[in-house]
């Protein structure tokens, strides 16, 4: 009896997607590895049919069965309307870790050629601003919630160290903006610092994200593995791919506990779509990561080596620097197929070990506290009043409700108590009310205050000011 073939869901995607995915599939098939591809739809064509998520049920069914996806880029409607189908896929299948490796490639000239860059970016993939929780709080002020959980931080930090161990890497940098976003970005930094001592063989360093970008442009060879939050990782990974030849070479794996999705870092590149010009390397390397993931390491090595040999022999698509007569996507794929079985003279196959995926407990994950209290409340209101008048009126409201008006800010700048500096104002104020003593501000008291505020002002958002185990669980205002 022959063993059942491993099934793979294939999403050709939008723009250059079908061209680069087809190239990768031809190369995989040429290795002789026995796979069964289930081609499914996602992205622009699905949005056009009126399916709001961009992912039809047949695609979801297929992924639930196969658990492994090779996907082309999916176009995202910009600005208004539908959510990104990419983000929906990652969230739906909880692929929380996005692994994006780049390295110096033979024959691909960059300003860093000769510096042996070999960097892996590990990006948290489902939290942060990408949850897409947004509101227009007033007709002129938008809000986007940046939610970072301890659970999410633990998973991505453990994955980064597990990955570094599996690849025998020397260091992991954690890149955050914790100097400004002390609680959200800070949570990743603190989690990283807590877990790092469990991996004494790996050097662990925290770096601020802006400095990380600067260091990547100046001395990128100092980086090995970088772990970071979703938004930072999105931007930094395009930067790291730029260091080694561009988006045409940068593969990625979206890893979850159950499902793994392999795709290029690049998007649908509409400017070159349908022209047989796209560089398929990123998708082909992503396919090699997929083969390794399903236990076909030999075929993965063979494909990577064939791409390297192809590059060494001077065959390049148009995105590579210094090309006189670029190869088409199909020519490049044919050259790779012709080079299967050959070995690169400069970059031998590596020894990969399976990444020990972090296991997290099922059910609702809780960070326990022994003491908590609500010491006050921030009420966000929309008004055209000038701050001195607003402060006078709200002080009266606070007195009547038995609390104290502690401060008012406008876009983060303190306008009460005033520091006598001119601040350009919008009609959106955060008004902080706190208890006079160290007791707990009960919901009934908050509702009473809200009713009094709401009698004269339009409020749109309320945030409790909590204390966990004696520590304030909110940011102080930025005094300007
Ligand atoms: P992009 O599609 O990555 O393309 C940016 C530029 O990079 C292209 O115009 C092209 O530049 C070059 N490029 C990218 N991939 C290439 C390849 N394989 N071969 C040769 N050149 C390549 O970024 P974008 O234009 O910002 O995004 C276009 C759409 O893709 C958007 O709807 C976006 O939301 C979506 N997107 C999807 C994903 C995903 O599915 N994971 C990721 C990113 C973006 P030149 O030809 O000008 O040199």
């Amino acid at each position: 009896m022959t063993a059942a073939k491993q099934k793979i869901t294939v999403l050709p995607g939008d723009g250059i997607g079908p061209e680069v995915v087809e190239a990768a599939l031809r190369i995989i098939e040429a290795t002789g590895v026995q796979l069964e591809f289930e081609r499914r739809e996602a992205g622009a064509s699905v949005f056009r049919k009126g399916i709001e998520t961009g992912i039809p049920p047949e695609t979801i069914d297929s992924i639930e069965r196969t658990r492994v996806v090779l996907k082309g880029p999916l176009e995202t409607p910009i600005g208004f309307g539908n959510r990104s189908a990419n983000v929906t896929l990652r969230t739906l299948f909880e692929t929380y870790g996005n692994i994006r490796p780049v390295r110096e490639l033979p024959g691909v000239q960059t300003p860093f050629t000769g510096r042996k860059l070999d960097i892996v970016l590990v990006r948290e993939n489902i939290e942060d601003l990408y949850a897409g929780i947004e509101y227009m709080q007033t007709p002129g002020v938008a809000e986007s919630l940046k939610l970072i959980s301890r659970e999410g931080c633990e998973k991505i930090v453990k994955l980064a160290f597990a990955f570094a161990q599996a690849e025998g890497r020397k260091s992991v940098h954690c890149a955050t903006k914790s100097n400004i976003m002390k609680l959200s970005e800070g949570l990743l930094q603190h989690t990283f610092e807590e877990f790092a001592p469990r991996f004494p063989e790996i050097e662990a360093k925290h770096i601020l994200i802006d400095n990380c970008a600067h260091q990547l442009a100046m001395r990128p060879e100092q980086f090995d593995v970088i772990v970071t939050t979703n938004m930072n990782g999105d931007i930094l990974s395009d930067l790291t791919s730029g260091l080694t030849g561009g988006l045409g070479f940068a593969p990625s794996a979206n890893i979850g506990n159950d499902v793994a999705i392999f795709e290029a870092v690049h998007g649908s590149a509409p400017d070159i779509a349908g022209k047989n010009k796209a560089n398929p390397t990123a998708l082909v390397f992503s396919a090699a990561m997929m083969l390794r993931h399903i236990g076909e390491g030999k075929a993965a090595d063979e494909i990577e080596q064939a791409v390297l040999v192809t590059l060494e022999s001077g065959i390049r698509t148009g995105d590579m620097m210094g090309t006189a007569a670029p190869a088409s996507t199909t020519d490049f794929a044919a050259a790779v197929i012709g080079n299967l079985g050959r070995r690169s003279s400069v970059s031998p196959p590596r020894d990969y070990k399976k990444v020990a995926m972090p296991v997290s407990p099922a059910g609702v994950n809780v960070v326990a506290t022994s003491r908590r209290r609500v010491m006050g409340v921030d009420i966000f209101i929309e008004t055209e009043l000038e701050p001195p008048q607003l402060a006078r009126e709200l002080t009266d409201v606070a007195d009547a409700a038995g609390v104290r008006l502690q401060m008012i800010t406008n876009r983060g700048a303190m306008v009460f108590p005033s520091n006598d500096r001119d601040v350009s104002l919008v009609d959106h104020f955060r008004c902080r009310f706190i208890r006079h003593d160290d007791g707990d501000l009960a919901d009934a008291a908050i509702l009473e205050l809200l009713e009094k505020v709401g009698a004269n002002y339009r409020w749109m958002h309320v945030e409790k000011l909590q204390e966990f185990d004696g520590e304030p669980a909110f940011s102080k205002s930025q005094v300007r």
Side-chain angles (χ1 to χ4, degrees), residues 112-129:
F112 301 98
T113 294
R115 287 158 77 168
K116 299 195 167 48
L117 300 190
D118 184 1
I119 303 169
V120 180
L121 196 121
V122 180
R123 165 188 173 192
E124 200 290 322
N125 214 22
I126 50 181
E127 297 193 338
D128 198 354
L129 294 162

Side-chain angles (χ1 to χ4, degrees), residues 270-289:
D271 54 331
I272 51 169
K275 296 182 178 163
N276 199 18
K277 279 167 92 170
N279 182 354
T281 306
L283 214 281
V284 174
F285 280 160
S286 307
M289 291 174 86

Side-chain angles (χ1 to χ4, degrees), residues 10 48 86 136 143 171 197 294:
V10 174
R48 276 196 292 274
N86 294 303
M136 290 304 295
E143 176 192 41
S171 76
I294 60 171

Side-chain angles (χ1 to χ4, degrees), residues 170-199:
K170 305 269 178 296
S171 76
V172 179
H173 278 83
C174 174
T176 76
K177 193 68 184 167
S178 59
N179 54 336
I180 301 296
M181 287 163 272
K182 293 181 175 24
L183 301 182
S184 55
E185 291 276 318
L187 193 51
L188 183 68
Q189 180 186 352
H190 299 318
T191 311
F192 176 77
E193 287 166 351
E194 184 184 322
F195 280 87
R198 298 186 192 180
F199 305 89

Side-chain angles (χ1 to χ4, degrees), residues 326-369:
S328 65
T329 310
T330 43
D331 286 348
F332 188 85
V336 173
I337 291 170
N339 285 324
L340 285 170
R342 297 180 60 197
R343 286 279 177 264
S344 159
S345 57
V346 288
S347 190
R350 297 173 166 194
D351 183 22
Y352 291 96
K353 291 199 196 72
K354 204 168 166 55
V355 178
M357 289 295 288
V359 182
S360 49
V364 178
N365 290 290
V366 174
V367 175
T369 54

Side-chain angles (χ1 to χ4, degrees), residues 16 20 71-78 86 90 100 234 238 247-249 263-272 277-282 317-319:
I16 59 171
V20 293
K71 85 172 260 297
L74 306 179
E75 219 173 273
T76 306
I78 291 182
N86 294 303
R90 291 171 195 161
R100 297 186 156 186
D234 193 3
D238 266 38
L247 285 167
F249 297 97
E263 62 178 335
V265 170
H266 65 69
S268 57
D271 54 331
I272 51 169
K277 279 167 92 170
N279 182 354
T281 306
T317 44
D319 55 321

Side-chain angles (χ1 to χ4, degrees), residues 184-222:
S184 55
E185 291 276 318
L187 193 51
L188 183 68
Q189 180 186 352
H190 299 318
T191 311
F192 176 77
E193 287 166 351
E194 184 184 322
F195 280 87
R198 298 186 192 180
F199 305 89
E201 75 283 14
I202 298 170
E203 191 184 3
K205 290 186 203 165
H206 176 259
I207 185 168
L208 291 175
I209 191 75
D210 36 352
N211 185 29
C212 186
H214 173 246
Q215 295 293 331
L216 276 167
M218 299 297 289
R219 285 180 289 280
E221 57 277 15
Q222 69 187 288

